[in-house]
């Protein structure tokens, strides 16, 4: 799971009064999507003459962009942005996005999702397309497949139809779920979505602030980023659909591939998306309300009225479950209270890349209000239970605060299978529900009871809110092992191998970020932005990778402004 952005201003060309206007808006939008990825982020912009500028690196937006200071180094009237949550590949700075290839035409690329045929694509790019891949990221694979197809035109300059035809051929080669934005230097901005509609992407527009009659257009993973920046007429990019916005022109839509389904990932509604977002016409907030009502009915069915009467309070695990917990409280006629205080200055523990960090992060993130637990039987409501480590820590905190009984309810069904479309949940052996019933899980996390949402109820909570021609089915493979796309033979072995490599990968080489990590320690930190052809000048650092000594270097294709000293 990642966040992607794309923006093209109606006022084309470098505005001397506001040369970094596109970067300013993209930078602001990063903060509205920060929940989608806290591992790395970046922005690439295009200025006069097709010159591309970029700033990217490991860390959250405030760190990478030096609290906004770097934005002044990113001129241009169009650009794309990215926030990374690591899935396949490593957490190296070299894998921060947007990615860039100079041939053909200068393409920048931001990707949200996961390709399930990455080994085949890597072999194709090596043996047939003869394109070099510099990272372990499947996003770089997709970019190079697209670039290679676009190169087949043999033209000095391409048009919109060429771009859509190249995309169509790329869709034939790639399998998985994705929502992407791309920028072609000096030409325009592109957005497209997989043929199953698994990952979200929306487009909005607004009047130009500097050129009367012109329109600005913006793409984002979630509608909230557009709405907060004043964009309206927000529409979803549909399954298999692409949109290209050429500078100075209106968007052009094209059905790149016929829809194979309309099945958004239901985890967007359960956990990942912000509650003030609307995805495929379905309000995330309203869907979570319905999840709570249906979960309350399941609790009553399993526990009975006598046990429910013994419950003193319904307490959400902040913040994703707040809405659902309020609905549970309302439906069961129980007191609702905020028993946990969330520290807003720490990461979301679920998307921390390492298990140890997640466990330590729970108590750093949450603390119990003792008066809300002392002597009480509490019903804790969370969005989901994945590994169970977070849930166990939360139950322990409730008991330490004096709870006499703890009942734990999950708005999602038991997670029994890996996620394969861009969310690194866990391997099957790490999933607490793999091979266990709810009673064994309750014992594992030290709760009196554990109650899960039914899968049919979860799907109904979203489908009942779907507009005409909206989705009625959802990607729910993590709950039942049945995925919306065909899964290549041997893919799960490959996925487990990649995850194992990530955990063992202590020495990382950085080619485009503000830090280099060796054995878990950071060496050298600074942050900034720059343009093509400004490489080098730094003293060489050395790091060990696979037993070989390699020099640290800037990005091999385009200079990264995040490596320069900050401007004060």
């Amino acid at each position: 799971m990642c966040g992607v952005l794309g923006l093209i201003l109606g006022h084309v060309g470098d505005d001397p009064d506001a040369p970094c206007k596109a970067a300013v808006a993209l930078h602001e939008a990063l903060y509205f999507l920060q929940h989608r990825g806290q591992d790395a982020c970046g922005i690439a912009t295009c200025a006069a003459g097709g010159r591309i500028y970029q700033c990217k690196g490991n860390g959250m937006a405030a760190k990478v962009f030096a609290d906004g200071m770097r934005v002044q180094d990113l001129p241009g009237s169009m650009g794309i942005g990215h926030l990374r949550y690591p899935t396949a590949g490593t957490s190296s700075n070299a894998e921060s996005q947007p990615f860039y290839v100079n041939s053909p035409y200068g393409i920048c690329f931001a990707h949200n999702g996961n390709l399930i045929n990455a080994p085949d694509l890597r072999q194709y790019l090596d043996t047939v397309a003869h394109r070099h891949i510099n990272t372990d990221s499947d996003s770089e694979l997709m970019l190079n497949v697209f670039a290679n197809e676009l190169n087949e035109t043999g033209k000095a300059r391409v048009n919109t139809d060429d771009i859509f035809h190249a995309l169509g051929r790329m869709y034939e080669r790639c399998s998985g779920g994705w929502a992407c934005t791309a920028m072609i230097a000096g030409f325009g901005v592109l957005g497209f979505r997989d043929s199953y509609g698994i990952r979200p992407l929306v487009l909005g527009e607004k009047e130009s602030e500097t050129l009367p009659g012109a329109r600005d257009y913006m793409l984002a993973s979630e509608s909230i980023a557009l709405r907060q920046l004043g964009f309206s007429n927000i529409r979803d990019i549909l399954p298999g659909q692409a949109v290209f916005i050429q500078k100075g022109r209106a968007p052009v839509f094209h059905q790149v591939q016929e829809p194979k389904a309309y099945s958004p990932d239901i985890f967007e509604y359960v956990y990942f998306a912000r509650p003030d977002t609307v995805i495929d016409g379905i309000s995330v907030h309203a869907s979570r309300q319905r999840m709570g009502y249906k979960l309350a009915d399941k609790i009553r069915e399993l526990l009975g009225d006598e046990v429910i009467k013994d419950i003193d309070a319904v307490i959400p695990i902040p913040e994703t479950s707040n809405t659902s917990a309020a609905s549970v409280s309302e439906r069961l006629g129980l007191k609702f209270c905020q028993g946990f205080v969330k520290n807003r200055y720490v990461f979301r523990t679920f998307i921390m890349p390492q298990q140890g960090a997640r466990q330590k992060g729970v108590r750093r993130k949450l603390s119990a209000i003792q008066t809300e637990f002392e002597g009480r039987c509490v019903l804790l409501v969370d969005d989901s239970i994945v590994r169970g480590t977070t849930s166990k820590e939360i139950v322990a905190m409730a008991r330490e605060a004096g709870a006499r009984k703890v009942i734990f309810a999950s708005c999602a069904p038991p997670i029994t299978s890996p996620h394969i479309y861009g969310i690194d949940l866990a391997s099957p052996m790490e999933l607490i529900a793999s091979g266990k019933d709810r009673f064994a899980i309750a014992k594992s996390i030290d709760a009196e009871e554990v109650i899960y949402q039914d899968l049919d109820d979860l799907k109904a909570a979203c489908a009942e809110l779907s507009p005409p021609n909206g989705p009625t089915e959802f990607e729910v493979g993590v709950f039942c092992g049945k995925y919306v796309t065909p899964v290549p033979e041997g893919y799960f072995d490959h996925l487990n191998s990649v995850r194992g490599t990530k955990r063992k990968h202590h020495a990382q080489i950085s080619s485009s970020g503000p830090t280099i990590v060796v054995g878990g320690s950071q060496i050298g930190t600074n942050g900034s932005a720059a343009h093509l052809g400004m490489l080098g000048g730094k003293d060489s650092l050395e790091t060990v990778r696979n037993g070989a000594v390699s020099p640290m270097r800037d990005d091999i294709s385009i200079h990264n402004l995040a490596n320069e000293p900050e401007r004060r």
Side-chain angles (χ1 to χ4, degrees), residues 119-133:
D120 293 340
L121 293 175
R122 188 175 293 274
Q123 183 177 14
Y124 162 75
L125 289 167
D126 180 24
T127 62
V128 178
H130 310 306
R131 296 187 71 93
H132 173 70
I133 302 302

Side-chain angles (χ1 to χ4, degrees), residues 167-425:
L167 268 183
R169 295 190 295 272
M170 185 203 77
Y171 272 54
E172 293 297 324
R173 294 194 182 278
C174 297
S175 298
W178 59 78
C180 304
T181 57
M183 178 174 66
I184 299 178
F187 190 27
V189 169
L190 173 68
F192 55 92
R193 191 178 183 189
D194 69 80
S195 299
Y196 299 87
I198 298 170
R199 302 257 66 87
L201 188 64
V202 291
L203 172 72
E205 62 181 278
K206 70 175 182 178
E207 292 184 8
S208 170
E209 297 176 1
T210 55
L211 183 63
R215 309 287 292 177
D216 300 340
Y217 296 95
M218 192 170 196
L219 290 150
S221 295
E222 294 187 28
S223 61
I224 182 60
L226 304 183
R227 196 156 48 82
Q228 290 297 96
L229 291 176
F231 288 83
S232 59
N233 297 329
I234 296 172
R235 58 173 289 178
D236 294 283
I237 304 303
L238 298 174
Q241 189 179 61
V243 59
F244 185 74
I245 309 116
Q246 186 176 344
K247 60 182 183 181
R249 299 190 183 181
V252 177
F253 295 88
H254 182 75
Q255 195 66 42
V256 175
Q257 190 174 72
E258 286 303 308
K260 297 178 180 178
Y262 197 169
S263 301
D265 187 346
I266 209 162
F267 237 89
E268 292 281 355
Y269 301 97
V270 171
Y271 177 79
F272 284 111
R274 282 176 49 145
D276 45 5
T277 281
V278 176
I279 297 175
D280 292 304
I282 300 171
S283 162
V284 174
H285 173 74
S287 71
R288 289 176 185 171
Q289 283 182 316
R290 295 203 177 205
M291 290 175 205
Y293 291 136
K294 294 178 185 299
L295 179 59
D297 294 340
K298 180 69 178 293
I299 292 169
R300 188 180 297 279
E301 174 191 336
L302 292 181
L303 299 186
D305 290 337
E306 289 304 313
V307 174
I308 290 173
K309 288 177 183 177
D310 188 44
I311 298 173
D312 297 298
V314 176
I315 298 176
I317 311 304
E319 294 178 329
T320 317
S321 65
N322 287 359
T323 303
S324 297
S327 295
V328 170
S329 169
E330 177 188 337
R331 182 64 64 94
L332 296 179
L334 297 172
K335 178 182 177 182
F336 175 84
C337 67
Q338 296 284 355
F340 290 101
V341 175
K342 181 179 179 181
N343 183 345
R344 298 180 184 275
Y345 303 100
V346 296
F347 297 105
R348 291 173 83 170
T349 56
F350 175 79
I351 61 174
M352 285 181 174
Q354 298 297 330
Q355 177 82 343
R358 278 190 294 270
Q359 289 176 289
K360 292 179 181 179
V362 176
R363 289 179 182 262
R364 191 180 303 130
K365 184 181 77 167
L366 297 176
S367 57
I369 301 173
Q370 192 167 351
T371 55
E372 300 301 319
F373 290 92
E374 279 183 327
R376 286 180 164 183
C377 172
V378 294
L379 171 57
L380 305 183
V381 178
D382 206 350
D383 51 75
S384 58
I385 305 173
V386 183
R387 297 168 180 85
T389 50
T390 297
S391 304
K392 186 173 183 178
E393 287 291 324
I394 288 169
V395 172
M397 284 192 285
R399 294 200 184 280
E400 290 166 10
R404 59 183 175 86
K405 289 184 181 179
V406 179
I407 299 170
F408 205 101
S410 167
C411 294
I415 297 172
T416 56
S417 302
H419 196 288
I420 65 173
Y421 303 115
I423 302 172
D424 192 8
L425 288 178

Side-chain angles (χ1 to χ4, degrees), residues 449-510:
E449 294 274 1
V450 166
I451 297 148
Y452 283 99
Q453 183 90 266
D454 284 337
L455 180 54
D456 287 343
D457 285 342
L458 176 61
K459 291 192 288 185
C462 299
E464 289 168 1
L465 296 165
S466 184
N469 302 319
T472 56
E473 293 295 327
F474 300 87
E475 163 49 38
V476 293
V478 291
F479 305 118
C480 60
K482 297 178 181 178
Y483 300 93
V484 69
T485 69
V487 181
E489 184 178 353
Y491 176 73
F492 294 108
D493 291 336
H494 165 73
L495 193 62
N496 288 333
S497 173
V498 169
R499 285 186 174 124
T501 301
K502 283 172 67 178
R503 292 188 188 94
K504 295 175 183 177
H505 190 76
H506 297 299
Q508 299 177 351
I509 184 168
S510 168

Side-chain angles (χ1 to χ4, degrees), residues 19-20 23-24 68-75 529 566-568:
C20 304
V24 168
M69 293 293 293
R70 297 298 182 197
V71 174
Q72 63 187 318
D73 297 320
L74 296 167
E566 293 180 21
R567 297 204 305 191
R568 299 294 184 183

